[in-house]
Amino acid sequence: MLSLDQSDSRPYRPNVGICLINPNGLVWMGKSESAGPEIVTKGREWQMPQGGIEETEDIVAAARREVWEETGVRSLELLMVADEWWTYDFPPHYQATGHKLDPFRGQKQKWAAFRFTGPDSGIDITASHTGEPQEFFDWRWMDVEEALELTIEFKVEQYRRVFKAFQDYVR
């Protein structure tokens, strides 16, 4: 994806995205609040787990770490990793506020798909196991259509790519 603002010389932040899929082919989505340029609007607050990484960091290890930090999930099985890095831009109307993401124009993501193999009771979004701030305030399993309807608006095209890449596993 090209930046909407070709004059923006800021780099993309390396990031790993996780498509966590239950045995029925539904995708795990968490409800989030605004965080710097990751602006959300009412009714479009849902997203999949993701997090910053070093470009040289092992993608699968980083994905497992991020999904554990944000959901508490350890019961998962790797299905596949997307071949390419995909980018998305933060909303152009965002005004810098000193947030850690301000130096970046958006994120450059490598995506991993995992099958969730545990019980739903094994999901813990409180982040009490990390000592870090909570990322999500609600969660649920969604089919692809619902996920695209409810996801953060500027991530929709990114999620279309993800669901196409992992189409053999999601419904």
Side-chain angles (χ1 to χ4, degrees):
M1 175 180 178
L2 295 175
S3 171
L4 298 175
D5 179 1
Q6 298 300 319
S7 66
D8 190 340
S9 62
R10 293 176 298 162
Y12 287 102
R13 176 182 182 239
N15 188 281
V16 63
I18 300 96
C19 186
L20 185 61
I21 306 161
N22 76 8
N24 298 320
L26 300 177
V27 177
W28 191 96
M29 296 286 285
K31 189 174 185 178
S32 60
E33 296 179 347
S34 293
E38 297 261 309
I39 297 168
V40 299
T41 56
K42 185 110 176 100
R44 308 282 312 214
E45 304 101 338
W46 297 83
Q47 65 179 339
M48 292 183 273
Q50 66 177 45
I53 62 169
E54 298 296 322
E55 281 192 64
T56 57
E57 189 174 4
D58 179 78
I59 296 299
V60 174
R64 286 181 183 278
R65 182 193 72 242
E66 286 296 331
V67 79
W68 176 76
E69 288 175 359
E70 296 184 3
T71 70
V73 168
R74 292 240 192 238
S75 300
L76 41 81
E77 169 190 328
L78 179 66
L79 298 172
M80 69 177 286
V81 175
D83 292 332
E84 301 175 42
W85 289 88
W86 297 316
T87 62
Y88 71 85
D89 289 346
F90 296 135
H93 57 276
Y94 172 73
Q95 299 296 316
T97 61
H99 190 273
K100 69 179 181 180
L101 297 178
D102 286 354
F104 302 98
R105 70 191 292 172
Q107 302 210 70
K108 171 179 155 178
Q109 295 182 309
K110 183 75 102 154
W111 280 84
F114 289 93
R115 173 84 59 222
F116 178 63
T117 59
D120 284 359
S121 61
I123 297 172
D124 177 8
I125 60 171
T126 66
S128 59
H129 54 284
T130 66
E132 296 291 323
Q134 188 171 342
E135 295 276 340
F136 299 112
F137 298 90
D138 195 4
W139 72 271
R140 68 181 196 236
W141 297 106
M142 298 182 190
D143 64 29
V144 168
E145 286 183 30
E146 183 181 23
L148 290 172
E149 287 174 18
L150 298 178
T151 196
I152 297 168
E153 292 151 315
F154 62 91
K155 292 185 179 185
V156 170
E157 290 308 311
Q158 185 80 323
Y159 281 21
R160 284 187 204 286
R161 281 187 206 101
V162 171
F163 296 146
K164 184 176 180 185
F166 302 145
Q167 66 188 347
D168 291 343
Y169 306 106
V170 298
R171 66 174 189 95

